[in-house]
Amino acid sequence: MDTARTHDLLAIADLVRTGRATSRGMIGRELGIRSTTISDLVGQLVARDLVHENTPRSRTKGRPTSILSFNAQRLGAVYVTVTDQSLVASAVDLNMRTIGQVIANPPPEADNNNLVQSLRQLIKDAARYFPPGMENGAIVFSLSGLLDVPGKIWCVSSRWPRMRNLDLGQAFGDLGPKIWLIRNLDAELTGISQAEQHGEEETSLLLHWGHGIGAAYAVGREVVNRNRGRFCEIGHWMLGNGQNRQCTCGNKDCLETVAALWAIGPRLAEEFPGLPQNEREAAITLARLDLLDSPVIKSALSDMLRLTANLCRLLFPDRVVLTGPFVQNPDIFRKFVDTLAVAPMLRSVDKVRVSTGDAHQSAEVSGALSGPFEECLAALVSREV
């Protein structure tokens, strides 16, 4: 199938998916294509089961207008990510809706073989949530740590220090769908920039403060080093504070040892009994607490504010997006806003806009899956029927 025809089919599918067109006439007005061509293209999408066409009953004379709807469960993907100390696999449809989800908790001492076994079972279990007729088009890994994206290799993760250079393509290529790999913070910033429609020259810094600490940086909608998978491992910047605290990465006195949830969570639970130790539940609880009187939070916040201000002096972003459970607390968020507003060097340029990101990972999902789904849809509409 020629490129122009594929482009038209994808454009029509997108109009129907987003609800901007629910009839052939609306498609014609949007795209300026002749009605006979539209009928042919819609017919092809219906034949591929990507679009459904329904004719409602009518009590009036004449042929009723058929209603077009998008079949979001024609294709899907298994999406695998890391949350806290867990591996999470989800079956996701074309509307980025999670159909089903499974979780595994490999121990910190897990090695390559242990993780492959856990991941293989997770992928198979997640794929079982696909309903009949739904094709699994991709297996997408959105992972933390250091990655080799072109090689599809998960190089290093501080959560599982014994894992080294896990070749995801080799380990799971036999399962059928194409394997994709992206760093989780790169996926999250991609999703945020798409949803908020960042300008072409606008620069954005994403800072995640949660179970771990990390960052991503983008110019427009292009995330720096996204295609490599290695950037801004700020959680493992060495503080040189002489506290001799062991980090999960193997070094001592990294930033995470004094500020990450895995490090300070147990001490916070002594101050705030019952505080959850996972990001999602902790975010709900932390948002309601008076945290600024906490000695643990005061110390961690001081380091995080210094880090953020220094990153802004290095990268000079137009906006800073803060994610993770701690910044869901309004007092802590305000501290970030105030700190950046009064930083001497930053006051001499345009004011940095500070916002909080989605606490439910929807941005990461859309950022990780948008590319794979585009490729899967293009392959689907190009097939002969």
Side-chain angles (χ1 to χ4, degrees):
M1 184 179 293
D2 64 81
T3 303
R5 198 167 185 82
T6 298
H7 177 271
D8 289 341
L9 286 167
L10 291 173
I12 292 172
D14 188 62
L15 286 173
V16 178
R17 182 187 66 82
T18 57
R20 288 176 289 159
T22 57
S23 68
R24 299 180 185 216
M26 293 174 71
I27 293 172
R29 289 191 290 274
E30 286 282 344
L31 300 181
I33 303 176
R34 292 183 304 173
S35 60
T36 53
T37 303
I38 291 173
S39 293
D40 175 44
L41 294 173
V42 169
Q44 291 194 39
L45 292 173
V46 171
R48 290 167 174 80
D49 198 30
L50 191 59
V51 167
H52 292 164
E53 188 170 24
N54 302 294
T55 303
R57 294 182 179 180
S58 175
R59 296 180 180 178
T60 60
K61 293 182 179 180
R63 183 178 178 180
T65 301
S66 59
I67 304 299
L68 303 176
S69 60
F70 184 74
N71 180 13
Q73 297 196 346
R74 175 63 179 85
L75 287 170
V78 171
Y79 167 75
V80 182
T81 191
V82 176
T83 301
D84 302 307
Q85 195 69 40
S86 302
L87 294 169
V88 183
S90 306
V92 183
D93 68 15
L94 287 169
N95 280 339
M96 305 293 178
R97 186 177 69 91
T98 297
I99 302 170
Q101 189 175 84
V102 287
I103 300 173
N105 298 289
E109 63 273 14
D111 59 12
N112 288 34
N113 290 332
N114 300 137
L115 289 173
V116 166
Q117 291 174 11
S118 292
L119 287 167
R120 179 171 285 270
Q121 191 62 51
L122 281 175
I123 293 167
K124 290 181 177 179
D125 289 345
R128 293 191 179 101
Y129 282 103
F130 291 129
M134 186 172 182
E135 181 181 337
N136 181 10
I139 299 171
V140 182
F141 292 90
S142 178
L143 302 175
S144 59
L146 301 182
L147 315 178
D148 172 1
V149 170
K152 298 183 177 62
I153 295 172
W154 192 8
C155 302
V156 177
S157 172
S158 62
R159 289 168 170 83
W160 296 285
R162 293 183 62 194
M163 185 276 294
R164 283 290 186 275
N165 298 321
L166 175 53
D167 190 329
L168 300 169
Q170 184 180 61
F172 307 111
D174 65 307
L175 295 180
K178 180 177 177 178
I179 306 298
W180 296 72
L181 176 61
I182 187 171
R183 198 173 68 111
N184 57 352
L185 294 183
D186 293 343
E188 186 173 11
L189 184 52
T190 298
I192 290 171
S193 63
Q194 290 171 345
E196 297 181 356
Q197 298 185 330
H198 291 187
E200 290 185 7
E201 300 300 322
E202 187 173 16
T203 55
S204 307
L205 171 67
L206 170 70
L207 179 70
H208 181 81
W209 181 15
H211 179 88
I213 300 168
Y217 182 71
V219 179
R221 300 184 189 181
E222 295 297 320
V223 177
V224 173
N225 272 6
R226 170 183 166 139
N227 293 330
R228 291 197 65 200
R230 308 173 192 183
F231 188 74
C232 228
E233 276 293 310
I234 56 174
H236 301 289
W237 283 4
M238 301 181 71
L239 299 178
N241 55 16
Q243 295 185 13
N244 204 36
R245 292 183 179 177
Q246 186 69 44
C247 185
T248 55
C249 72
N251 292 319
K252 292 183 178 180
D253 293 336
C254 296
L255 174 63
E256 285 196 5
T257 64
V258 296
L261 182 61
W262 68 260
I264 66 174
R267 284 182 288 151
L268 280 176
E270 295 175 4
E271 295 185 51
F272 306 102
L275 177 70
Q277 296 297 294
N278 65 76
E279 285 199 8
R280 179 165 295 189
E281 293 179 9
I284 298 171
T285 302
L286 290 171
R288 302 192 302 259
L289 296 176
D290 184 2
L291 295 177
L292 296 186
D293 290 332
S294 162
V296 176
I297 287 292
K298 278 184 178 179
S299 176
L301 181 59
S302 175
D303 285 316
M304 291 302 298
L305 292 174
R306 185 183 308 111
L307 163 81
T308 307
N310 285 335
L311 280 173
C312 288
R313 294 183 184 102
L314 174 69
L315 300 170
F316 285 93
D318 296 310
R319 69 168 75 197
V320 174
V321 183
L322 304 169
T323 65
F326 295 102
V327 297
Q328 306 307 316
N329 180 278
D331 293 328
I332 287 182
F333 173 71
R334 174 53 56 185
K335 282 288 186 181
F336 278 93
V337 175
D338 293 343
T339 297
L340 296 182
V342 301
M345 284 189 69
L346 301 178
R347 279 188 297 173
S348 64
V349 297
D350 292 336
K351 184 177 180 181
V352 179
R353 285 166 288 166
V354 186
S355 62
T356 54
D358 178 18
H360 302 293
Q361 294 187 314
S362 61
E364 182 186 334
V365 174
S366 64
L369 294 184
S370 55
F373 276 155
E374 286 177 10
E375 184 174 298
C376 288
L377 283 169
L380 175 62
V381 302
S382 298
R383 293 180 197 167
E384 294 297 328
V385 292

